[in-house]
Amino acid sequence: MSLDTTPALTPVDEARRQVEICNACRYCEGYCAVFPSAFSQRAFSDGDITQLANLCHNCRGCYYACQYTEPHEFALNLPAALAEVRVESWERYAWPKGFARLFQESGVALAGALVVGIALLFFALTALTPEAGEGFYAYLSHGAMVAIFTPAFLLPLVAVGIGLHRYWRDVDGRPITFAHLKSAFQDAARLKNLSGGAANGCNFEDGDRYSQARRHAHHAVMYGFLLCFASTSSGTVLHYGFGMEAPYSLFSLPKLLGVPGGILLTIGATYLVWLKTKADPDLGAASVWGGEMAFVLLLGATGATGLALYAATGTSWVAPLLAIHLGTVLAFFVTTPYSKMVHGFYRLAALIRDAQRPSGAV
Amino acid sequence: MTQLDKTRWDVIVVGGGNAGLCAAIEAAETGARVLILESAPKPYRGGNSRHTRNFRCMHRGPLSVLTGSYEEDEYFDDLIRVTKGKTDEHLARMTIRTSEECLPWMEAHGVAFQKSLSGTLSLSRTNAFFLGGGKALVNAYYNTAQDLGVTVAYEAEVKHVVVEEGRFQGLDVLIGGSETRIEGRALVLASGGFQADLDWLADAWGPAARNFLIRGTPYNRGVVLRDMLDQGADSVGDPTQCHAVAIDGRAAKFDGGIVTRLDCVPFSVVVNKDGERFYDEGEDVWPKRYAIWGRLVAAQPDQVAYSIIDSKSINNFMPSVFPPETADTLDGLAQKLGLPGTKLRETVTAFNEACQNGTFMPTELDGLSTNGLTPEKTNWARPIDTPPYYGYSLRPGVTFTYLGLKVDDTARVSGPTGRFANIWAAGEIMAGSILGEGYLAGFGMTIGTVFGRIAGQEAAKHVA
Ligand SMILES: Cc1cc2nc3c(=O)[nH]c(=O)nc-3n(C[C@H](O)[C@H](O)[C@H](O)COP(=O)(O)OP(=O)(O)OC[C@H]3O[C@@H](n4cnc5c(N)ncnc54)[C@H](O)[C@@H]3O)c2cc1C
Ligand code: SF4
Ligand code: SF4
């Protein structure tokens, strides 16, 4: 560790400087997985720091608890230091590279992607109006939808896969077993670390007071999103597996999953946005605040526009709402490898990597 | 701020560390109008308390994060051992007994606990660790106090306690550069020790004290303690007694806190600035010895010493916050540390030759001792011969001082004409009432919590 805190330090070097101080202190051990993982080592490679950064979920407990925050010369701000490393790592691993900086930092760029997505869909709707079809397919043929969304879904997944592969190499990941996956998915499903370890939640929207608000909002978004995703998947299965085509009734699987999913997603995202406006931006990666905000809004918009579309069934609003909804979903999918959405993938990878740490090695 | 002097406060608490906060919360819970005056700016509120990690707690069975049981007699025996009997048995036993109900009280007032930290398993039965450490505890208490309507003034340094006929009337307080008289009906003094006043330390210790490092807050300068002693308050404790440990010599003068501790001594040879050994580095495990090394180093020329190890031992202790000096030869290391190279080589050679065969066991007394060396090293004596060599400088780091105000079991302070009518004290400022010398890890916060709560309750009763 050195006391040299000149801004010349790269994000990884700055985080390493701070983690080394933590390693001599250890007071925050009970907050989250970052600390036990860090305290099992003495020296930290760039990959180690990247792994720690992706284990951190920015609950800020360790900032408010730290006796070494500014004006102390050690100038600890671990949540921000790790956030900077995270953002930088996603940028570095992204394929192709330049997009990540663009969409992570710039809310305007994300909004631009949204406009392009919607415009494309309007164009498709006018240019490719089918001669016959039911429900949405009356506006855009099933074939056209598949032609647009299959690559829009698969290509980003490939890009994410490439990024994850690069990550795994950097953090020295080992072959993954079922036990690793089980442990990681269990943590993720409960958002275990977001619960604040032994603490009662995060220190997020209300300074150093603990609150479960962020966890609840994030839960709503995550499960809302997964329900929506399951809804679409179930539609696909019904379509191809059982020859049952949209539109589906309210008591069909796609709707039973999609409607509550959309509601959860919309409410959760709104709540998250509100919480984010209350939290101190200096304890996160300040440069990507706008991009992150835009991402949550975009994610919320996929839910809200979906619900609006459903509500408009049978009215003349269906065509424009269909374009808006599908355009939003398109923008969301295409930017996934480069937006905050990618955090979900890296976080899961970090949890799997952490599960590979010999237990008891603290 | 300007309104502070317009109110006649029920209870004024001087010092917003653990003891003061416990007092303020107890008093405010009875409905009293409470003011905390804290001399530090907000980011540095909480004095030494924000550097702590645990408190020592009696318990008759598993309690919260504490395992097993730790009963009154065992706790008291531990205290007798470290203080060599210099304690007040009545106050000590009362403190120990009350500590048990403190843990649930702390939890109910916002403090979260965690399991014993890695590297401190030996304390998992006796000491309850605060999640996030003392600053998180202090934050929780400030939030609780705020919810109870307690007023807090930062950068408000109390200069003088106005006492008339054994009764506290008001305080002269320096706020924002000007002195203000603030009136109140009851007073709780919780402003810590005087260790940050180097002149006072030098009076007690001699000029060597100016080279001491202060592990905690620069704001505990004993201004109120001195003012009370000047007004004839009964004192307790020896001004030359303080808790001092050997810490990294490169630490800042103040507020270095826990990270500046060095655990390498038992695996090293320690020399003074002339390159000479002066004490058995392997006398006992480090947690039982680090406190005496503060005094040992204080007695060396320029109050500095150097701990030298080789690459065999570098992973046997908790990592240090500053990296050690490193060199491939002892001469190179001596040069980096500013030690006389020839002398250091001689000392290490003599030590190496006195080492004997045996099994090195870093976590227990392994009896691996030198033969025919003065002073001996009685455990963990392995030759220093495998480069790279590493060196750390050591200096005495003062935790807190023991001279304080004498209190009774209701935390009341007494003076020339018996007990003051309305003045109580809690925490470091009165810890000497129980700790005559020595120290038991985690007992500072126990004293502060127990007496802080009592002082708050008693002060509130007085104004009810
Ligand atoms: C590095 C370190 C680690 C420690 N670890 C532990 C541990 O793990 N467990 C343990 O039990 N003990 C520990 N201690 C000891 C412990 O810190 C003290 O015993 C305890 O904090 C004392 O609490 P207090 O409220 O009396 O004093 P403090 O917490 O120091 O509070 C005193 C307050 O009074 C204020 N003040 C001072 N003068 C004035 C004035 N004139 N006017 C207004 N305000 C004033 C100060 O700014 C300060 O905030 C540690 C100490 C240090 C330095
Ligand atoms: S964040 Fe601060 S208090 Fe927490 S472990 Fe690191 S240095 Fe210690
Ligand atoms: S911000 Fe929260 S999750 Fe991140 S390191 Fe600190 S305590 Fe852990």
Side-chain angles (χ1 to χ4, degrees), chain A residues 28 31-35 52 55-63 78-79 82 86 193:
Chain A
C28 291
Y31 276 116
C32 70
V34 171
F35 296 96
L52 294 177
L55 272 181
C56 165
H57 56 87
N58 199 242
C59 78
R60 297 150 182 236
C62 67
Y63 173 82
L78 197 61
L82 294 180
R86 246 183 343 264
N193 284 292

CSV table of all heavy atoms in Angstrom, one decimal, chain A residues 28 31-35 52 55-63 78-79 82 86 193, ligand 3:
chain,number,residue,atom,x,y,z
A,28,CYS,N,-15.0,-5.0,8.3
A,28,CYS,CA,-16.2,-5.1,7.5
A,28,CYS,C,-16.5,-6.6,7.1
A,28,CYS,O,-17.3,-6.8,6.3
A,28,CYS,CB,-16.1,-4.2,6.3
A,28,CYS,SG,-16.2,-2.5,6.8
A,31,TYR,N,-20.0,-8.0,6.3
A,31,TYR,CA,-21.0,-7.3,5.4
A,31,TYR,C,-21.3,-8.1,4.2
A,31,TYR,O,-22.5,-8.2,3.7
A,31,TYR,CB,-20.5,-6.0,4.9
A,31,TYR,CG,-20.8,-4.8,5.9
A,31,TYR,CD1,-19.7,-4.2,6.5
A,31,TYR,CD2,-22.1,-4.5,6.2
A,31,TYR,CE1,-20.0,-3.1,7.4
A,31,TYR,CE2,-22.3,-3.5,7.1
A,31,TYR,CZ,-21.3,-2.8,7.7
A,31,TYR,OH,-21.5,-1.8,8.6
A,32,CYS,N,-20.3,-8.7,3.5
A,32,CYS,CA,-20.6,-9.3,2.2
A,32,CYS,C,-19.4,-10.2,1.8
A,32,CYS,O,-18.5,-10.4,2.6
A,32,CYS,CB,-20.7,-8.2,1.1
A,32,CYS,SG,-19.1,-7.5,0.8
A,33,ALA,N,-19.6,-10.9,0.7
A,33,ALA,CA,-18.6,-11.9,0.3
A,33,ALA,C,-17.3,-11.3,-0.1
A,33,ALA,O,-16.3,-12.0,-0.2
A,33,ALA,CB,-19.2,-12.7,-0.9
A,34,VAL,N,-17.2,-10.0,-0.4
A,34,VAL,CA,-16.0,-9.4,-0.8
A,34,VAL,C,-14.9,-9.6,0.2
A,34,VAL,O,-13.8,-9.9,-0.1
A,34,VAL,CB,-16.2,-7.8,-1.1
A,34,VAL,CG1,-14.8,-7.1,-1.3
A,34,VAL,CG2,-17.1,-7.6,-2.3
A,35,PHE,N,-15.3,-9.4,1.5
A,35,PHE,CA,-14.2,-9.3,2.5
A,35,PHE,C,-13.7,-10.7,2.8
A,35,PHE,O,-12.4,-10.9,2.8
A,35,PHE,CB,-14.7,-8.6,3.8
A,35,PHE,CG,-15.0,-7.2,3.5
A,35,PHE,CD1,-16.3,-6.7,3.2
A,35,PHE,CD2,-14.0,-6.3,3.4
A,35,PHE,CE1,-16.6,-5.4,2.9
A,35,PHE,CE2,-14.2,-4.9,3.1
A,35,PHE,CZ,-15.5,-4.5,2.8
A,52,LEU,N,-13.1,-9.4,-7.0
A,52,LEU,CA,-13.7,-8.7,-5.8
A,52,LEU,C,-14.7,-7.6,-6.3
A,52,LEU,O,-15.8,-7.5,-5.7
A,52,LEU,CB,-12.6,-8.1,-5.0
A,52,LEU,CG,-11.6,-9.0,-4.3
A,52,LEU,CD1,-10.5,-8.3,-3.5
A,52,LEU,CD2,-12.3,-10.0,-3.3
A,55,LEU,N,-17.9,-9.1,-7.1
A,55,LEU,CA,-18.7,-9.6,-6.0
A,55,LEU,C,-19.4,-8.5,-5.2
A,55,LEU,O,-20.3,-8.8,-4.5
A,55,LEU,CB,-17.7,-10.3,-5.0
A,55,LEU,CG,-17.3,-11.7,-5.2
A,55,LEU,CD1,-16.4,-12.2,-4.2
A,55,LEU,CD2,-18.6,-12.6,-5.2
A,56,CYS,N,-18.9,-7.3,-5.4
A,56,CYS,CA,-19.5,-6.2,-4.6
A,56,CYS,C,-20.8,-5.7,-5.3
A,56,CYS,O,-20.9,-5.6,-6.5
A,56,CYS,CB,-18.5,-5.0,-4.6
A,56,CYS,SG,-19.3,-3.4,-4.1
A,57,HIS,N,-21.8,-5.5,-4.5
A,57,HIS,CA,-23.1,-5.0,-5.1
A,57,HIS,C,-23.4,-3.6,-4.6
A,57,HIS,O,-24.6,-3.2,-4.6
A,57,HIS,CB,-24.2,-6.0,-4.7
A,57,HIS,CG,-24.3,-6.3,-3.3
A,57,HIS,ND1,-25.1,-5.4,-2.5
A,57,HIS,CD2,-23.8,-7.2,-2.4
A,57,HIS,CE1,-25.0,-5.9,-1.2
A,57,HIS,NE2,-24.2,-6.9,-1.2
A,58,ASN,N,-22.4,-2.9,-4.2
A,58,ASN,CA,-22.5,-1.5,-3.9
A,58,ASN,C,-23.6,-1.2,-2.8
A,58,ASN,O,-24.4,-0.3,-3.0
A,58,ASN,CB,-22.9,-0.7,-5.2
A,58,ASN,CG,-22.6,0.7,-5.1
A,58,ASN,OD1,-23.5,1.6,-5.2
A,58,ASN,ND2,-21.3,1.1,-4.8
A,59,CYS,N,-23.6,-2.0,-1.7
A,59,CYS,CA,-24.6,-1.7,-0.7
A,59,CYS,C,-24.1,-0.5,0.2
A,59,CYS,O,-24.9,0.0,1.0
A,59,CYS,CB,-24.7,-2.9,0.2
A,59,CYS,SG,-23.4,-3.2,1.4
A,60,ARG,N,-22.8,-0.2,0.1
A,60,ARG,CA,-22.3,1.0,0.8
A,60,ARG,C,-22.1,0.8,2.3
A,60,ARG,O,-21.7,1.8,3.0
A,60,ARG,CB,-23.1,2.2,0.5
A,60,ARG,CG,-23.1,2.5,-1.0
A,60,ARG,CD,-24.3,3.2,-1.5
A,60,ARG,NE,-24.2,3.3,-2.9
A,60,ARG,CZ,-24.3,4.5,-3.5
A,60,ARG,NH1,-24.6,5.6,-2.9
A,60,ARG,NH2,-24.1,4.6,-4.8
A,61,GLY,N,-22.4,-0.4,2.8
A,61,GLY,CA,-22.2,-0.6,4.3
A,61,GLY,C,-20.8,-0.3,4.7
A,61,GLY,O,-20.6,0.4,5.7
A,62,CYS,N,-19.9,-0.7,3.9
A,62,CYS,CA,-18.4,-0.6,4.3
A,62,CYS,C,-18.0,0.8,4.1
A,62,CYS,O,-16.9,1.2,4.7
A,62,CYS,CB,-17.6,-1.6,3.5
A,62,CYS,SG,-17.5,-1.2,1.7
A,63,TYR,N,-18.7,1.6,3.4
A,63,TYR,CA,-18.2,3.0,3.3
A,63,TYR,C,-18.6,3.8,4.6
A,63,TYR,O,-17.8,4.4,5.3
A,63,TYR,CB,-18.9,3.8,2.1
A,63,TYR,CG,-18.6,5.3,2.2
A,63,TYR,CD1,-17.4,5.7,1.7
A,63,TYR,CD2,-19.5,6.2,2.8
A,63,TYR,CE1,-17.1,7.1,1.8
A,63,TYR,CE2,-19.1,7.5,2.8
A,63,TYR,CZ,-17.9,8.0,2.4
A,63,TYR,OH,-17.6,9.3,2.5
A,78,LEU,N,-14.5,2.3,-0.6
A,78,LEU,CA,-14.4,1.0,-1.3
A,78,LEU,C,-15.6,0.8,-2.3
A,78,LEU,O,-15.4,0.3,-3.4
A,78,LEU,CB,-14.3,-0.2,-0.3
A,78,LEU,CG,-13.9,-1.5,-0.9
A,78,LEU,CD1,-12.5,-1.4,-1.4
A,78,LEU,CD2,-13.9,-2.6,0.2
A,79,PRO,N,-16.8,1.2,-1.9
A,79,PRO,CA,-17.9,1.0,-2.9
A,79,PRO,C,-17.6,1.7,-4.2
A,79,PRO,O,-17.8,1.1,-5.3
A,79,PRO,CB,-19.1,1.6,-2.2
A,79,PRO,CG,-18.8,1.6,-0.7
A,79,PRO,CD,-17.3,1.7,-0.6
A,82,LEU,N,-14.5,-0.1,-6.1
A,82,LEU,CA,-14.9,-1.3,-6.7
A,82,LEU,C,-15.9,-1.1,-7.9
A,82,LEU,O,-15.8,-1.8,-8.9
A,82,LEU,CB,-15.5,-2.3,-5.7
A,82,LEU,CG,-14.5,-2.8,-4.6
A,82,LEU,CD1,-15.2,-3.7,-3.7
A,82,LEU,CD2,-13.3,-3.4,-5.2
A,86,ARG,N,-15.4,-2.4,-11.7
A,86,ARG,CA,-16.5,-3.2,-12.3
A,86,ARG,C,-16.8,-2.6,-13.7
A,86,ARG,O,-16.7,-3.3,-14.7
A,86,ARG,CB,-17.7,-3.1,-11.5
A,86,ARG,CG,-18.1,-4.4,-10.9
A,86,ARG,CD,-19.4,-4.4,-10.1
A,86,ARG,NE,-20.0,-3.2,-9.6
A,86,ARG,CZ,-19.8,-2.7,-8.4
A,86,ARG,NH1,-19.1,-3.3,-7.6
A,86,ARG,NH2,-20.4,-1.6,-8.1
A,193,ASN,N,-26.5,-11.4,-0.7
A,193,ASN,CA,-25.6,-10.3,-0.2
A,193,ASN,C,-26.3,-8.9,-0.1
A,193,ASN,O,-25.9,-8.1,0.7
A,193,ASN,CB,-24.4,-10.2,-1.2
A,193,ASN,CG,-23.4,-11.4,-0.9
A,193,ASN,OD1,-22.8,-11.4,0.2
A,193,ASN,ND2,-23.3,-12.4,-1.7
C,3,SF4,S1,-20.3,-1.8,-0.8
C,3,SF4,FE1,-21.3,-3.5,0.2
C,3,SF4,S2,-21.1,-5.2,-1.2
C,3,SF4,FE2,-19.5,-3.7,-1.8
C,3,SF4,S3,-17.7,-4.2,-0.7
C,3,SF4,FE3,-18.8,-2.7,0.6
C,3,SF4,S4,-20.1,-4.0,2.0
C,3,SF4,FE4,-19.4,-5.3,0.3
